[in-house]
PDB file of all heavy atoms in Angstrom:
ATOM      1  N   ILE A  53      13.931  10.962  18.329  1.00 49.00           N
ATOM      2  CA  ILE A  53      14.357   9.879  19.201  1.00 49.00           C
ATOM      3  C   ILE A  53      14.726   8.647  18.393  1.00 49.00           C
ATOM      4  O   ILE A  53      15.782   8.044  18.601  1.00 49.00           O
ATOM      5  CB  ILE A  53      13.255   9.547  20.238  1.00 49.00           C
ATOM      6  CG1 ILE A  53      13.054  10.733  21.170  1.00 49.00           C
ATOM      7  CG2 ILE A  53      13.603   8.289  21.016  1.00 49.00           C
ATOM      8  CD1 ILE A  53      11.841  10.615  22.060  1.00 49.00           C
ATOM      9  N   ASP A  54      13.862   8.227  17.463  1.00 52.00           N
ATOM     10  CA  ASP A  54      14.144   7.028  16.684  1.00 52.00           C
ATOM     11  C   ASP A  54      15.411   7.192  15.858  1.00 52.00           C
ATOM     12  O   ASP A  54      16.199   6.262  15.732  1.00 52.00           O
ATOM     13  CB  ASP A  54      12.965   6.687  15.763  1.00 52.00           C
ATOM     14  CG  ASP A  54      11.779   6.120  16.517  1.00 52.00           C
ATOM     15  OD1 ASP A  54      11.972   5.675  17.667  1.00 52.00           O
ATOM     16  OD2 ASP A  54      10.675   6.115  15.968  1.00 52.00           O
ATOM     17  N   ALA A  55      15.631   8.371  15.282  1.00 53.00           N
ATOM     18  CA  ALA A  55      16.848   8.603  14.496  1.00 53.00           C
ATOM     19  C   ALA A  55      18.083   8.443  15.365  1.00 53.00           C
ATOM     20  O   ALA A  55      19.092   7.875  14.927  1.00 53.00           O
ATOM     21  CB  ALA A  55      16.814   9.983  13.866  1.00 53.00           C
ATOM     22  N   ASP A  56      18.025   8.917  16.611  1.00 55.00           N
ATOM     23  CA  ASP A  56      19.160   8.763  17.519  1.00 55.00           C
ATOM     24  C   ASP A  56      19.408   7.299  17.844  1.00 55.00           C
ATOM     25  O   ASP A  56      20.552   6.848  17.917  1.00 55.00           O
ATOM     26  CB  ASP A  56      18.934   9.551  18.808  1.00 55.00           C
ATOM     27  CG  ASP A  56      18.983  11.060  18.593  1.00 55.00           C
ATOM     28  OD1 ASP A  56      19.515  11.497  17.549  1.00 55.00           O
ATOM     29  OD2 ASP A  56      18.492  11.789  19.470  1.00 55.00           O
ATOM     30  N   LEU A  57      18.342   6.526  18.045  1.00 54.00           N
ATOM     31  CA  LEU A  57      18.490   5.103  18.343  1.00 54.00           C
ATOM     32  C   LEU A  57      19.069   4.351  17.154  1.00 54.00           C
ATOM     33  O   LEU A  57      19.862   3.428  17.319  1.00 54.00           O
ATOM     34  CB  LEU A  57      17.138   4.493  18.740  1.00 54.00           C
ATOM     35  CG  LEU A  57      16.558   4.977  20.055  1.00 54.00           C
ATOM     36  CD1 LEU A  57      15.135   4.449  20.226  1.00 54.00           C
ATOM     37  CD2 LEU A  57      17.433   4.556  21.215  1.00 54.00           C
ATOM     38  N   ILE A  58      18.699   4.738  15.949  1.00 58.00           N
ATOM     39  CA  ILE A  58      19.224   4.083  14.753  1.00 58.00           C
ATOM     40  C   ILE A  58      20.655   4.525  14.496  1.00 58.00           C
ATOM     41  O   ILE A  58      21.518   3.714  14.174  1.00 58.00           O
ATOM     42  CB  ILE A  58      18.320   4.361  13.543  1.00 58.00           C
ATOM     43  CG1 ILE A  58      16.990   3.626  13.731  1.00 58.00           C
ATOM     44  CG2 ILE A  58      18.994   3.937  12.246  1.00 58.00           C
ATOM     45  CD1 ILE A  58      15.927   3.985  12.740  1.00 58.00           C
ATOM     46  N   ALA A  59      20.940   5.810  14.652  1.00 51.00           N
ATOM     47  CA  ALA A  59      22.297   6.305  14.414  1.00 51.00           C
ATOM     48  C   ALA A  59      23.289   5.627  15.351  1.00 51.00           C
ATOM     49  O   ALA A  59      24.435   5.383  14.976  1.00 51.00           O
ATOM     50  CB  ALA A  59      22.345   7.818  14.593  1.00 51.00           C
ATOM     51  N   ALA A  60      22.858   5.285  16.556  1.00 53.00           N
ATOM     52  CA  ALA A  60      23.746   4.610  17.503  1.00 53.00           C
ATOM     53  C   ALA A  60      24.123   3.222  16.999  1.00 53.00           C
ATOM     54  O   ALA A  60      25.197   2.723  17.289  1.00 53.00           O
ATOM     55  CB  ALA A  60      23.070   4.510  18.872  1.00 53.00           C
ATOM     56  N   GLU A  61      23.260   2.599  16.219  1.00 52.00           N
ATOM     57  CA  GLU A  61      23.513   1.261  15.675  1.00 52.00           C
ATOM     58  C   GLU A  61      24.228   1.304  14.333  1.00 52.00           C
ATOM     59  O   GLU A  61      24.866   0.347  13.934  1.00 52.00           O
ATOM     60  CB  GLU A  61      22.189   0.506  15.480  1.00 52.00           C
ATOM     61  CG  GLU A  61      21.513   0.112  16.753  1.00 52.00           C
ATOM     62  CD  GLU A  61      22.212  -1.038  17.452  1.00 52.00           C
ATOM     63  OE1 GLU A  61      22.869  -1.856  16.778  1.00 52.00           O
ATOM     64  OE2 GLU A  61      22.099  -1.113  18.680  1.00 52.00           O
ATOM     65  N   ALA A  62      24.100   2.405  13.614  1.00 54.00           N
ATOM     66  CA  ALA A  62      24.608   2.487  12.244  1.00 54.00           C
ATOM     67  C   ALA A  62      26.121   2.631  12.242  1.00 54.00           C
ATOM     68  O   ALA A  62      26.695   3.296  13.091  1.00 54.00           O
ATOM     69  CB  ALA A  62      23.975   3.676  11.522  1.00 54.00           C
ATOM     70  N   ASP A  63      26.757   1.991  11.256  1.00 50.00           N
ATOM     71  CA  ASP A  63      28.190   2.190  11.106  1.00 50.00           C
ATOM     72  C   ASP A  63      28.435   3.375  10.185  1.00 50.00           C
ATOM     73  O   ASP A  63      27.509   4.016   9.713  1.00 50.00           O
ATOM     74  CB  ASP A  63      28.875   0.917  10.596  1.00 50.00           C
ATOM     75  CG  ASP A  63      28.405   0.499   9.210  1.00 50.00           C
ATOM     76  OD1 ASP A  63      27.894   1.353   8.460  1.00 50.00           O
ATOM     77  OD2 ASP A  63      28.561  -0.680   8.868  1.00 50.00           O
ATOM     78  N   ALA A  64      29.674   3.669   9.913  1.00 42.00           N
ATOM     79  CA  ALA A  64      30.029   4.871   9.152  1.00 42.00           C
ATOM     80  C   ALA A  64      29.496   4.837   7.724  1.00 42.00           C
ATOM     81  O   ALA A  64      29.303   5.879   7.115  1.00 42.00           O
ATOM     82  CB  ALA A  64      31.546   5.036   9.137  1.00 42.00           C
ATOM     83  N   SER A  65      29.217   3.646   7.174  1.00 43.00           N
ATOM     84  CA  SER A  65      28.756   3.571   5.786  1.00 43.00           C
ATOM     85  C   SER A  65      27.268   3.836   5.646  1.00 43.00           C
ATOM     86  O   SER A  65      26.765   4.022   4.549  1.00 43.00           O
ATOM     87  CB  SER A  65      29.079   2.196   5.198  1.00 43.00           C
ATOM     88  OG  SER A  65      28.324   1.195   5.854  1.00 43.00           O
TER      89      SER A  65
END
Side-chain angles (χ1 to χ4, degrees):
I53 295 170
D54 287 342
D56 291 342
L57 293 172
I58 291 170
E61 290 287 333
D63 63 22
S65 66

